[in-house]
Amino acid sequence: MAKRIQFSATGGPEVLQYVDFTPLDPAAGEVQIENRAIGINYIDTYVRSGLYAPPSLPSGLGTEAAGVVTKVGAGVSALKPGDRVVYAQAALGAYSDVHNVPEEKVAQLPDNISFEQGAASFLKGLTVHYLLRQTYNLQPGETFLLHAAAGGVGLIACQWAKALGARLIGSVGSAEKAALAQQAGAWATINYQQEDIAERVAALTNGEKVGVVYDSVGKSTWQASLNSLKRRGLMVSFGNASGPVTGVDLALLNQKGSLYVTRPSLNGYITNRAELEYASNELFALIGSGAIKVEVNDEQKFALGDAQRAHQLLESRQTSGSSLLIPG
């Protein structure tokens, strides 16, 4: 027997249940992983709430964790029992003591990166990789805007941008979060509780505005993001923390300077093992060199059975950086 988090109806954090289950042996092409640290991501709240409907109910939750391979299914060749690994694109169910994951979605975790660092950074780091390196390939000296700069993705993006020599303007909700973003490498910050985002972007860029905006907040920042873009700029909407963006006005994109808009996701960029290794190798190299530091506050580490409390805190906007579930 093992323990996992599941839910039988969508809703608030209270629907999450801590239950016993009997793990199945890994199928062909799968490996079974004993999770040592589990990543908590904002997208998990979308699945739990029903914004992103799970395939069926009851359902597990979570797609990211780091741990040790304990069993391998038929046809597995790249991994073996005892390997330290990390994954971020599993089927729902990573909030669990053990999880079966397709081999092609599992990366080997270097010895110099801990399980907690791996689980805290993998999904977020792969997200930053596709955003900054593929959706729009940032160049040294380029200035751009990223919302939620003190969040899990944001703090990695601040460090990655600094490593690239790009200038990240980060929007945040408090002076404390502004300090965190600046410590991580943000070139400038905007406290959206006190400042108009688009006006501040214009002032910071001498009226030029920016060529790309990365927006994981969604509904509440949509207009400010468009207003921050220069002519033919790119709006990258990759999250819905304040609610989904609906009713996109194409004429408005024209009026604001022939703007581009994209709604990317990790699953559109990493579809096979080669793409996973390309992105993860760059991420691991930056972590290994110290260019990206991954730290998790003790207050944001929760026992697996405390998933309800972890989600409550995450949705309160009181967290910074990454949060983890630790199996018993």
Side-chain angles (χ1 to χ4, degrees), residues 155-178:
L155 290 179
I156 291 175
C158 288
Q159 296 175 80
W160 207 314
K162 184 178 180 179
L164 291 172
R167 299 185 297 188
L168 182 150
I169 300 172
S171 79
V172 294
S174 69
E176 293 77 13
K177 290 190 174 184

Side-chain angles (χ1 to χ4, degrees), residues 14-225:
E14 68 280 356
V15 303
L16 299 179
Q17 303 167 304
Y18 185 47
V19 302
D20 294 315
F21 80 109
T22 301
L24 300 175
D25 285 336
E30 290 185 339
V31 297
Q32 186 169 97
I33 298 166
E34 180 184 284
N35 292 331
R36 301 292 178 83
I38 301 161
I40 303 172
N41 295 287
Y42 214 91
I43 194 171
D44 301 341
T45 71
Y46 301 161
V47 176
R48 187 212 70 224
S49 69
L51 178 62
Y52 294 171
S56 62
L57 293 171
S59 173
L61 190 62
T63 63
E64 175 187 41
V68 176
V69 175
T70 54
K71 296 180 182 179
V72 300
V76 170
S77 58
L79 298 169
K80 64 185 185 303
D83 283 346
R84 303 173 76 253
V85 294
V86 62
Y87 58 90
Q89 294 173 285
L92 294 174
Y95 285 20
S96 177
D97 288 340
V98 296
H99 196 34
N100 295 341
V101 185
E103 178 188 29
E104 68 176 12
K105 298 184 182 299
V106 179
Q108 289 191 298
L109 187 65
D111 289 339
N112 63 345
I113 299 176
S114 71
F115 293 120
E116 290 190 0
Q117 289 176 313
S121 67
F122 202 48
L123 179 61
K124 300 171 184 69
L126 294 180
T127 298
V128 174
H129 182 271
Y130 85 70
L131 291 172
L132 273 56
R133 307 290 284 146
Q134 297 182 83
T135 303
Y136 182 98
N137 190 14
L138 282 167
Q139 300 301 307
E142 191 163 6
T143 305
F144 68 101
L145 173 64
L146 180 132
H147 294 296
V153 168
L155 290 179
I156 291 175
C158 288
Q159 296 175 80
W160 207 314
K162 184 178 180 179
L164 291 172
R167 299 185 297 188
L168 182 150
I169 300 172
S171 79
V172 294
S174 69
E176 293 77 13
K177 290 190 174 184
L180 285 172
Q182 289 167 346
Q183 290 166 13
W187 176 68
T189 55
I190 301 169
N191 185 338
Y192 61 78
Q193 302 283 8
Q194 300 174 346
E195 301 173 285
D196 182 280
I197 291 172
E199 287 181 4
R200 186 67 180 137
V201 168
L204 287 165
T205 59
N206 297 316
E208 289 188 12
K209 303 185 180 180
V210 295
V212 61
V213 175
Y214 297 105
D215 190 339
S216 63
V217 177
K219 184 177 180 180
S220 68
T221 50
W222 174 254
Q223 197 66 43
S225 294

Side-chain angles (χ1 to χ4, degrees), residues 133-324:
R133 307 290 284 146
Q134 297 182 83
T135 303
Y136 182 98
N137 190 14
L138 282 167
Q139 300 301 307
E142 191 163 6
T143 305
F144 68 101
L145 173 64
L146 180 132
H147 294 296
V153 168
L155 290 179
I156 291 175
C158 288
Q159 296 175 80
W160 207 314
K162 184 178 180 179
L164 291 172
R167 299 185 297 188
L168 182 150
I169 300 172
S171 79
V172 294
S174 69
E176 293 77 13
K177 290 190 174 184
L180 285 172
Q182 289 167 346
Q183 290 166 13
W187 176 68
T189 55
I190 301 169
N191 185 338
Y192 61 78
Q193 302 283 8
Q194 300 174 346
E195 301 173 285
D196 182 280
I197 291 172
E199 287 181 4
R200 186 67 180 137
V201 168
L204 287 165
T205 59
N206 297 316
E208 289 188 12
K209 303 185 180 180
V210 295
V212 61
V213 175
Y214 297 105
D215 190 339
S216 63
V217 177
K219 184 177 180 180
S220 68
T221 50
W222 174 254
Q223 197 66 43
S225 294
L226 296 181
N227 291 340
S228 299
L229 285 165
K230 65 175 66 172
R231 181 171 62 95
R232 294 169 60 188
L234 175 63
M235 170 64 183
V236 183
S237 177
F238 69 102
N240 316 287
S242 69
V245 175
T246 58
V248 175
D249 185 347
L250 295 179
L252 189 63
L253 304 181
N254 172 32
Q255 294 163 14
K256 290 185 177 297
S258 298
L259 302 180
Y260 296 88
V261 174
T262 185
R263 180 59 175 89
S265 69
L266 182 62
N267 290 337
Y269 284 86
I270 297 182
T271 62
N272 55 52
R273 190 168 189 84
E275 291 172 345
L276 177 64
E277 289 180 349
Y278 165 66
S280 61
N281 286 345
E282 189 165 349
L283 171 64
F284 292 153
L286 287 168
I287 294 174
S289 72
I292 291 178
K293 293 179 174 60
V294 182
E295 299 174 354
V296 181
N297 298 330
D298 287 340
E299 296 80 15
Q300 290 176 215
K301 296 178 187 177
F302 304 88
L304 178 58
D306 287 339
Q308 285 190 12
R309 190 162 63 91
H311 273 226
Q312 289 167 353
L313 191 63
L314 183 65
E315 291 181 300
S316 74
R317 302 284 188 91
Q318 295 176 34
T319 62
S320 60
S322 299
S323 299
L324 295 174

